[in-house]
Amino acid sequence: MKKTTTAKQKRLQQSKKILAAVKAYARLDRQAGTFRPGQDRVHYAGRVFDHQEITAMVKASLDSWVTVGPYGEELERALSRWLGVRNVILVNSGSSANLLAVAALCDPKLPNRLKAGDEVITPAVTFPTTVAPLLQHQLVPVFVDSRLEDYNIDISLLERALTAKTRAIMVPHTLGNPCHLERLVQLARRYRLFLIEDNCDALGSKYQGRLTGTFGELATLSFYPAHHMTMGEGGAVITNDPRLARIVRSLRDWGRDCWCGHDAGPHGACGKRLQYKIEGLGEAYDHRYVYTHIGYNLKPTDLQAALGLAQLKKVPGFIKARRRNFTELSRRLAPFERWLILPQPAPHSEPAWFAFPITVREDAGFSRQTLQSFLEERRIETRLLFAGNIVRQPAFRSTKYRVYGGLKNADMIMRRTFFIGVYPGLRSSHLRYIASVFGEFFKNRKRT
């Protein structure tokens, strides 16, 4: 008797053919030529993936689960294991992660929550969406200066910046270089302050052997293509506090109270989805449509999560490559320290470097723009250290904030600092070329 092939079997067969073709295509697309110095662009960052990521995204699309679902839940669990934390909540960007971290600490359901007018200490050298959520929640940023050695908040100023209104500290680990977390945690505990780590640039960085992003009440990640792993766009909120995790998830998901996963079944994970009695909503109300927070929709898609799962497996190798590239660049650029301030790892740290920051010394005899233009003309990408001194930025000048002490270093960073890449897509041939262009620049400077 002839065996009948079911529709499900046919789909499975076709799926295998499609994925095999995609894998072959992706391998062909990956065949890159030899780097051509002066012709090929030396990027500061970029996504690094192969047939595994392409195949994962196509497979997710064939599964036809478009919004966040099984792949998203799997990625949250995998990130939790990798980081050694209890809760990871995926979102659609690192900026959204920062927004939700701050919003959770302002939530009316949280005892001792942050309220309008409360002060939050943060460095003036920062990214705009580290500060924006503070202003959006009517909190008052208190800006302090950074150190030129590591570009992080100057920990020696922090305690003196405290007032009776200070309720939290929000710090980025700049370009993957960890802040002085031992002192930050001590101060946060002593003065009962919330600590938020903006870990968007620092996935895999360690302080005293422990991963950054695991020290504060909350931390954030970004999975933009420039970062240590990518989902295209995407991010995450990290917390060990189950109460904060539930608030963040609710705020991410329209403000609803339900916490069911994609496969919770008709009666929900709680077993009583249709039996909730909520004052003002009638005799009983479907728990999936009970809203207990003023929320957003900041979810990613399952296609992005599938990409993230493939990327996460490669993160240890990516981190190793970033550290190797940083070390080689440090060695090759060391002869130019007469004119340049080169980056130094923070004490007790193992950075997973996002980039390689460089500051042109004030007595160098040339401007940052002169060196930057020279590099760009020779196809070496450069970027500024984000907002520089953020209080100088047009959007932030008229906002309500406080400055403790001067912002001398922040101003210098704004005028004289830029960065170049160390991402895993760069090989030694790229780094040799970068060093040769720096050598050409300083050779010309000596002649003039």
Side-chain angles (χ1 to χ4, degrees):
M1 183 175 177
K2 189 176 180 180
K3 187 175 180 181
T4 304
T5 303
T6 66
K8 184 177 180 180
Q9 289 172 328
K10 288 179 179 178
R11 287 197 301 272
L12 182 60
Q13 291 169 0
Q14 289 299 318
S15 174
K16 288 180 178 178
K17 290 179 182 178
I18 291 168
L19 294 177
V22 168
K23 183 176 180 180
Y25 171 84
R27 281 178 165 167
L28 285 172
D29 186 54
R30 184 169 169 76
Q31 292 176 3
T34 304
F35 171 62
R36 297 169 299 174
Q39 297 181 54
D40 297 330
R41 195 143 185 81
V42 181
H43 297 291
Y44 85 94
R47 56 93 170 164
V48 177
F49 55 70
D50 55 27
H51 68 277
Q52 295 174 17
E53 285 85 352
I54 303 294
T55 303
M57 287 189 287
V58 173
K59 186 177 185 301
S61 68
L62 293 176
D63 291 346
S64 299
W65 195 292
V66 181
T67 187
V68 70
Y71 286 102
E73 291 168 10
E74 186 180 348
L75 180 54
E76 287 181 341
R77 290 191 294 269
L79 278 165
S80 293
R81 290 192 299 269
W82 196 86
L83 292 163
V85 295
R86 295 180 65 178
N87 302 284
V88 172
I89 301 101
L90 289 182
V91 295
N92 60 0
S93 72
S95 297
S96 293
N98 283 342
L99 174 63
L100 289 177
V102 174
L105 294 181
C106 295
D107 191 84
K109 292 184 177 295
L110 186 71
N112 201 32
R113 70 183 181 95
L114 299 182
K115 298 178 182 178
D118 286 346
E119 294 184 344
V120 180
I121 294 180
T122 194
V125 175
T126 191
F127 195 79
T129 52
T130 305
V131 176
L134 305 178
L135 298 169
Q136 289 156 348
H137 286 83
Q138 291 81 53
L139 303 171
V140 180
V142 177
F143 293 113
V144 299
D145 213 355
S146 295
R147 290 159 44 92
L148 290 176
E149 295 87 349
D150 55 28
Y151 301 97
N152 282 319
I153 192 168
D154 188 338
I155 199 73
S156 70
L157 301 174
L158 200 146
E159 189 167 14
R160 285 174 276 169
L162 300 175
T163 70
K165 294 182 178 181
T166 306
R167 297 292 316 288
I169 304 167
M170 187 167 185
V171 290
H173 300 298
T174 307
L175 300 182
N177 205 1
C179 295
H180 195 314
L181 282 161
E182 181 180 22
R183 184 66 174 142
L184 281 170
V185 170
Q186 288 174 350
L187 289 171
R189 287 176 178 171
R190 181 184 304 167
Y191 295 100
R192 298 183 180 179
L193 308 175
F194 293 114
L195 174 60
I196 306 174
E197 295 175 74
D198 182 337
N199 203 53
C200 289
D201 292 348
L203 177 65
S205 292
K206 291 183 177 180
Y207 180 83
Q208 293 182 343
R210 177 177 165 185
L211 287 168
T212 58
T214 66
F215 288 79
E217 277 76 22
L218 293 150
T220 59
L221 293 171
S222 172
F223 302 132
Y224 187 70
H227 289 95
H228 294 65
M229 59 172 274
T230 186
M231 291 168 53
E233 297 280 357
V237 180
I238 305 166
T239 182
N240 278 311
D241 186 325
R243 178 175 52 192
L244 287 173
R246 186 163 180 179
I247 292 172
V248 169
R249 198 172 292 278
S250 176
L251 290 169
R252 184 199 69 171
D253 296 359
W254 310 287
R256 72 179 181 184
D257 196 53
C258 178
W259 44 270
C260 288
H262 79 282
D263 59 351
H267 297 290
C270 62
K272 55 178 185 177
R273 172 190 151 202
L274 302 178
Q275 301 169 26
Y276 275 78
K277 295 183 178 180
I278 307 295
E279 184 179 354
L281 293 181
E283 185 175 339
Y285 210 80
D286 186 342
H287 191 220
R288 291 181 64 84
Y289 292 93
V290 173
Y291 302 95
T292 51
H293 297 84
I294 305 300
Y296 309 89
N297 179 4
L298 300 177
K299 301 188 302 298
T301 67
D302 237 29
L303 273 71
Q304 291 173 288
L307 169 58
L309 277 165
Q311 284 270 287
L312 181 58
K313 296 174 184 176
K314 300 179 179 179
V315 165
F318 288 165
I319 292 170
K320 186 176 179 180
R322 286 176 177 275
R323 288 174 176 158
R324 181 178 63 243
N325 289 343
F326 180 90
T327 299
E328 183 171 346
L329 265 183
S330 295
R331 176 175 58 82
R332 291 187 179 280
L333 298 185
F336 313 123
E337 286 190 278
R338 172 183 165 187
W339 300 279
L340 307 174
I341 299 174
L342 300 183
Q344 298 295 323
H348 315 297
S349 76
E350 301 170 65
W353 292 97
F354 173 81
F356 193 96
I358 296 169
T359 298
V360 176
R361 295 184 186 274
E362 289 186 295
D363 61 355
F366 58 89
S367 68
R368 174 185 63 197
Q369 184 181 10
T370 301
L371 176 54
Q372 218 182 334
S373 297
F374 191 87
L375 296 171
E376 292 280 357
E377 287 164 6
R378 285 150 184 82
R379 304 189 62 76
I380 297 171
E381 281 188 345
T382 64
R383 293 293 187 272
L384 301 187
L385 188 38
F386 308 136
N389 183 350
I390 201 165
V391 303
R392 311 288 188 200
Q393 289 284 345
F396 293 85
R397 292 175 195 164
S398 59
T399 60
K400 185 178 180 181
Y401 62 84
R402 182 168 68 85
V403 172
Y404 176 79
L407 298 177
K408 180 181 176 182
N409 288 343
D411 281 335
M412 184 172 177
I413 290 165
M414 178 182 67
R415 295 191 313 269
R416 293 188 165 271
T417 301
F418 67 98
F419 63 78
I420 56 178
V422 295
Y423 83 109
L426 299 181
R427 302 184 297 276
S428 192
S429 55
H430 296 97
L431 306 182
R432 288 195 301 271
Y433 174 65
I434 291 171
S436 72
V437 171
F438 273 86
E440 181 187 352
F441 176 85
F442 288 110
K443 183 178 179 181
N444 291 338
R445 295 300 304 176
K446 290 175 185 177
R447 285 202 298 263
T448 59

